Amino acid sequence: QQQVKQSPQSLIVQKGGIPIINCAYENTAFDYFPWYQQFPGKGPALLIAIRPDVSEKKEGRFTISFNKSAKQFSLHIMDSQPGDSATYFCAASPNTGNQFYFGTGTSLTVIP
Amino acid sequence: DVKVTQSSRYLVKRTGEKVFLECVQDMDHENMFWYRQDPGLGLRLIYFSYDVKMKEKGDIPEGYSVSREKKERFSLILESASTNQTSMYLCASSPPWEYGYTFGSGTRLTVV
């Protein structure tokens, strides 16, 4: 079964909008939650990551919000640009190793 | 710049053929992984390796095997290719003390 559930499957926003991608998990052993960005023809690249001891992390225009009690985390992209158009994957890893479980991906399109 | 190199970008093979997908990393990473990526299913772990000659099954190992004779090289083997193995295959590596993968660009395999 899918260990990390991601939504929506696709998202279209206008330039400058704030797309939000959500992920949920059940396994309380997960202790590291990265987001990966994938452009067509490329492998995924690490974008930003968070641990459960903080509720929010910002890196540039990208913010992760983390709700430990709800077992949910989300990616917000501020002032989105057409160059942000890509597929985004959330992931989670247990504290026993660095095997990752990935969400099903969100295809983001930012319209100029 | 660190790199994970997958030997082929596109590959077309016939049903029943034995297929080798090669992955080489130049970062001296201990950990290497093979994922397959399918629309709507995200990334699913096939096999991984924490050291030379070591291998562990992931979530979907059936129909696949792996080989790691040298630290920098991790090969995925399809013993008898089938059409349901048509997919994008992604190799990744990571050091043991850090979270986060470096992915290769992927091999799109079509089995006809």
Side-chain angles (χ1 to χ4, degrees):
Chain A
Q1 74 279 17
Q2 198 72 32
Q3 297 241 18
V4 179
K5 295 181 179 177
Q6 183 173 347
S7 63
Q9 188 173 354
S10 63
L11 195 51
I12 301 173
V13 300
Q14 296 276 358
K15 177 183 173 182
I18 305 176
I20 301 172
I21 305 170
N22 300 299
C23 286
Y25 65 97
E26 288 297 325
N27 189 343
T28 54
F30 289 152
D31 78 337
Y32 183 74
F33 302 89
W35 285 88
Y36 284 82
Q37 179 187 54
Q38 184 180 29
F39 292 107
K42 301 286 188 182
L46 181 64
L47 185 63
I48 185 173
I50 196 168
R51 290 190 177 275
D53 52 346
V54 296
S55 60
E56 186 176 276
K57 183 173 182 180
K58 291 183 181 181
E59 285 186 8
R61 295 184 293 106
F62 300 91
T63 299
I64 301 179
S65 298
F66 188 84
N67 185 329
K68 187 174 182 179
S69 60
K71 297 201 282 283
Q72 295 175 349
F73 58 110
S74 59
L75 177 70
H76 302 233
I77 305 175
M78 305 302 176
D79 187 27
S80 58
Q81 302 295 314
D84 296 329
S85 297
T87 300
Y88 292 81
F89 292 95
C90 61
S93 178
N95 55 14
T96 54
N98 67 351
Q99 178 184 344
F100 285 94
Y101 297 90
F102 285 84
T104 51
T106 297
S107 176
L108 172 66
T109 302
V110 181
I111 300 171
Chain B
D1 198 14
V2 295
K3 271 195 172 174
V4 175
T5 303
Q6 294 184 231
S7 54
S8 304
R9 290 297 301 273
Y10 300 95
L11 216 50
V12 179
K13 296 292 181 181
R14 294 194 179 277
T15 301
E17 276 193 75
K18 190 169 186 176
V19 182
F20 293 85
L21 302 183
E22 305 289 343
C23 175
V24 177
Q25 50 98 358
D26 64 0
M27 298 165 283
D28 200 34
H29 285 170
E30 280 77 6
N31 304 331
M32 296 189 75
F33 305 83
W34 275 105
Y35 283 84
R36 64 178 282 176
Q37 180 178 3
D38 300 289
L41 296 177
L43 280 70
R44 294 179 292 164
L45 182 63
I46 305 171
Y47 267 97
F48 58 104
S49 169
Y50 287 146
D51 203 349
V52 176
K53 297 193 185 295
M54 290 182 62
K55 59 184 179 183
E56 298 283 345
K57 292 181 180 179
D59 299 319
I60 52 164
E62 298 78 19
Y64 303 94
S65 63
V66 290
S67 172
R68 193 164 180 202
E69 296 295 321
K70 294 184 177 181
K71 190 176 185 180
E72 67 271 18
R73 186 180 297 270
F74 192 35
S75 302
L76 180 69
I77 304 158
L78 285 67
E79 297 291 344
S80 178
S82 64
T83 54
N84 63 13
Q85 292 178 311
T86 291
S87 185
M88 169 70 83
Y89 289 88
L90 289 163
C91 176
S93 73
S94 74
W97 60 88
E98 272 184 29
Y99 288 94
Y101 294 162
T102 300
F103 279 95
S105 294
T107 296
R108 184 164 293 283
L109 173 67
T110 302
V111 182
V112 298

